[in-house]
Structures are given as C-alpha cells and as structure tokens.
Amino acid sequence: MPLDVKRIWDACGRAFDRFNSSSDSYSEIIERPAIEKLVGRIKGARVLDLGCGAGPYSIWFAECGAQVTGLDLSETMISLAAQKAEERGLRIDLQVADIREPLPFGNAEFDLVFTATALHYVEDLANLFREIGRVMKGSGRFVASVLHPMSTAYFPLPNGEDQREPHYFGELLRSIETPWLGYGEVPDEGRRIVCHHHTTAEYFNALVAAGLRATDLSEPEPPEEYASQNAARFEEAMRVPVYLIFKAEPTKAD
Ligand SMILES: C[S@@+](CC[C@H](N)C(=O)[O-])C[C@H]1O[C@@H](n2cnc3c(N)ncnc32)[C@H](O)[C@@H]1O
C-alpha cells in the first residue's frame, strides 16, 4: 500500500482541524498540558514545529513570544495555519516541506525542535532524529508527542478488517478509518489514514542512534474533571493511553 500521506492530509485536513479544535479534543484536554510542562519557557527562543498541521502548537509558541518555523507536507494544513496566524496577528514562518527529507536549515539553529502526532508518518525515525540533532543548538531540546504505541497497536493492519485485538510487534504499516469523518466533507482519498506503528523501543533507540539523550517521558492521563464532561471518552482514555510524550537533548561529550 503506497503511503501517500500528502494526498490523505490534503483531503482530510479541514475535518481534522474541526475535530481537533472541538471541546472533546484529546489534544486540548490531555496532550497540551503535558507538553506545556515539558516545553518550559520559550520566550525569545527559536522553535521548529515539524508536521505543524493547522498550527495549534506553532500559534501557542508564537503567542508565548517564540520565533517559530512550522513545516508540513500538506498545503491544506499550511494554509489553515497561515490563516489562523494572520487572524491573530502573529508572524510565523510556515513552509510546505517533507520531514522525511533533509531539513532545510543550517546546523544548530533551533532552541527547541517540537513535533506533535506527526512521527507516525515517518518510517525512518533515526534519520529524522539525526536531522533534528543537527539543526538543534547544543543547549537545545527536542520535545515530541506521539500517539501512544499501545494505542497505535490497535490500529488495523493495512489489508485486514478493522480489528479488536492489538498487534504490537511485526507489522509496521497501519490503516484506520479517519476518526473525524463526522466533522465535514472528506473526499474518498482522506477517508482512511495510513501510518506507521512504532514501538516504544523504536523511539528510544532512534534517539540513542541520533546522539540524543531522553530526559523526560510522560504518559498523560485525562484530568478527573473530564469524567463528568464526557464519561465514555474519559473511560476510553483511561483504558489505553492516548499519548507518549518525551523530551531529549544532545548527549554531552565527557
Ligand atoms: C495528526 S496531524 C498533527 C498536526 C499538528 N502537529 C497538531 O498537533 O495538530 C499530522 C500532521 O503531520 C503532517 N505530516 C505527515 N507526514 C509528514 C511529512 N512527511 N512531512 C511533513 N509533515 C507531515 C500531516 O500533513 C499533518 O498535518
């Protein structure tokens, strides 16, 4: 199955953005508070957001006073991000680019390299992490949020029926019906998301191979108050963790 990520995201990006901005968005409820803790103070920092999508994090970083560059493969997503930045009067450098290719920057440019739920579209993590290490300053940090490997283990195999049993090892490629179909028109090519399932060890070993040292790891739970807002979604997020969030920095030479 060809992994035409650009075609999928160009087709389903607007619906994803509506879904992701809704009051039930796990991203707002579970992911963002955990990311805020790991990212720390970024006023004046140079920040790179890989797979920035419609820009929720790029915009937040810019509002915190960072100088932000966002890259995304999808023109739909970049134009949504640009529109939102303009509405808020923010200057963000937004570029259409494929993060599987060498990053279009010089060495040691960024204080923070960040990515949220985009690494599942990249097969060769070690190659990307090496590029991240290259563009990051020696004093910089890398913060990544990924769909938790326990969650992507439940994503169906490409040629199988939608399954109930998880597959943790073996098959890397997964294909799942777009969860945001109810959030607007989605043409056929955007109805299934095809992505890679990476195990926790793959993320960790790719950091090590790239000369990066993991310094924090978070598996955030939904806040208790969310149980009264949406009991079913709360239970779902308590059963299988939604996000794995980690922070890494360059390994210091002794
Ligand atoms: C689930 S969305 C997350 C967007 C954003 N980071 C957020 O948190 O809302 C995944 C994004 O990754 C982008 N993406 C996937 N593969 C990519 C690649 N190879 N290069 C750049 N962006 C990519 C998609 O276009 C999409 O916007």
Side-chain angles (χ1 to χ4, degrees):
M1 177 180 298
L3 188 45
D4 194 346
V5 182
K6 177 176 161 30
R7 190 152 171 258
I8 295 171
W9 280 98
D10 277 340
C12 75
R14 284 181 194 282
F16 166 77
D17 184 40
R18 270 186 229 112
F19 167 84
N20 212 31
S21 317
S22 73
S23 63
D24 266 336
S25 155
Y26 281 155
S27 175
E28 283 297 314
I29 294 164
I30 304 173
E31 183 186 40
R32 188 186 282 244
I35 286 175
E36 284 185 15
K37 274 196 202 141
L38 289 196
V39 159
R41 200 179 140 76
I42 49 169
K43 189 162 194 253
R46 183 113 193 264
V47 176
L48 175 61
D49 183 0
L50 300 171
C52 64
Y57 289 105
S58 287
I59 286 170
W60 171 56
F61 297 146
E63 284 172 341
C64 290
Q67 192 190 333
V68 185
T69 297
L71 302 186
D72 202 283
L73 186 62
S74 158
E75 274 136 36
T76 303
M77 299 311 265
I78 286 290
S79 69
L80 280 167
Q83 187 187 328
K84 290 178 190 215
E86 193 182 331
E87 283 164 8
R88 290 163 178 76
L90 295 169
R91 284 170 60 108
I92 302 177
D93 172 27
L94 293 161
Q95 303 180 25
V96 175
D98 187 340
I99 61 171
R100 293 168 295 188
E101 302 293 329
L103 298 174
F105 307 102
N107 296 346
E109 288 197 24
F110 294 94
D111 300 289
L112 169 68
V113 180
F114 173 82
T115 184
T117 56
L119 293 181
H120 322 96
Y121 306 99
V122 175
E123 183 172 5
D124 188 346
L125 291 177
N127 190 43
L128 172 60
F129 288 6
R130 264 192 298 276
E131 274 296 282
I132 289 170
R134 181 183 68 75
V135 301
M136 195 162 79
K137 292 180 184 169
S139 58
R141 59 217 190 267
F142 170 41
V143 173
S145 168
V146 298
L147 290 177
H148 198 289
M150 192 171 162
S151 157
T152 55
Y154 280 92
F155 283 15
L157 305 179
N159 300 318
E161 295 296 309
D162 280 5
Q163 82 221 12
R164 287 178 189 276
E165 296 301 317
H167 292 259
Y168 194 79
F169 297 113
E171 277 289 336
L172 183 69
L173 217 53
R174 306 297 163 109
S175 163
I176 187 169
E177 185 170 89
T178 312
W180 36 92
L181 286 183
Y183 287 78
E185 276 299 299
V186 178
D188 281 353
E189 58 270 30
R191 295 184 78 84
R192 288 197 82 80
I193 291 281
V194 182
C195 65
H196 300 288
H197 158 74
H198 295 298
T199 65
T200 308
E202 279 178 64
Y203 288 114
F204 184 84
N205 290 331
L207 289 175
V208 173
L212 300 171
R213 184 174 69 95
T215 57
D216 277 287
L217 187 75
S218 161
E219 295 174 310
E221 293 177 25
E224 271 179 27
E225 332 58 280
Y226 186 52
S228 52
Q229 187 185 321
N230 190 331
R233 295 265 291 165
F234 176 82
E235 287 301 324
E236 180 184 61
M238 286 300 285
R239 261 198 310 275
V240 176
V242 184
Y243 299 103
L244 179 73
I245 303 176
F246 53 88
K247 182 172 175 179
E249 59 187 36
T251 307
K252 304 271 185 304
D254 289 331

